[in-house]
Amino acid sequence: MNKKKRRLIMRTIILAILALALVYTLYANFTKDSNQTIKKGDTAPDFALVDLEGNKHKLSDYKGQGIFLNFWATWCKPCEYEMPYMENQYQHYKDQGVQILAVNVDESTLAVEKFVKRHNLTFPVAIDKGSQVLAAYGVDPLPTTFLIDKEGKVVDVLSGSLSETAIQQHMESIKP
């Protein structure tokens, strides 16, 4: 076989592989189970996670309070940006019936503890080992925050980093 024929065959094989990868990617994205995504108006799925101090946090235990449920990661710069604002507003609203629960997405306890200490965070931070809560809520991208009212209904779903003013307004909106 001559060189030109071999090159043509190799190029054809490479193009076929790329085309198959593209088709698979499109198929996988369009057939995702969209029922997993929690939307505004849905009842927030209950879960139980343990925070860094060893306290168990069950979402249903917060009934009667507003919940600012934030999914985040230590490597996520937009997540890091909003953490001091969340802390400030937590100090203001925690005695007014609005709680923050920050759910880290399956990172090591050491990494999360260092992050929490560096930012002097006092609100509950739990690690979602195995990302089961993340999957139940259909979270993508990070950070994503679910505003949950006193009845356990999702009032809003917020993607991306929030300013301190926005956090304050959202906490005010879920205040019982």
Side-chain angles (χ1 to χ4, degrees), residues 6-17:
R6 264 190 272 155
R7 193 177 317 147
L8 179 62
I9 291 171
M10 286 304 287
R11 286 180 179 169
T12 304
I13 291 171
I14 290 170
L15 279 172
I17 291 170

Side-chain angles (χ1 to χ4, degrees), residues 8 12 17 24 37 39 43 61 67 69 77 89 92 95 106 111 113 117 122 125 133 142 145 148 150 155 165 172:
L8 179 62
T12 304
I17 291 170
Y24 173 76
T37 303
K39 302 176 293 305
T43 298
D61 290 345
I67 303 168
L69 179 62
K77 287 299 174 193
Q89 294 309 310
H92 182 74
D95 296 327
D106 201 16
E113 285 174 343
K117 188 175 183 180
T122 61
V125 175
V133 179
L142 293 178
T145 301
I148 303 168
K150 64 182 182 177
V155 174
T165 304
E172 193 64 40

Side-chain angles (χ1 to χ4, degrees), residues 95-153:
D95 296 327
Q96 297 180 45
V98 179
Q99 299 300 318
I100 288 181
L101 184 55
V103 178
N104 176 272
V105 293
D106 201 16
E107 293 185 275
S108 76
T109 303
L110 181 62
V112 176
E113 285 174 343
K114 281 181 165 180
F115 183 94
V116 167
K117 188 175 183 180
R118 185 170 68 243
H119 293 284
N120 298 313
L121 304 178
T122 61
F123 50 80
V125 175
I127 301 172
D128 183 15
K129 299 288 185 192
S131 298
Q132 294 166 335
V133 179
L134 181 84
Y137 277 77
V139 173
D140 186 39
L142 293 178
T144 293
T145 301
F146 292 83
L147 301 175
I148 303 168
D149 70 12
K150 64 182 182 177
E151 301 300 322
K153 295 278 184 205

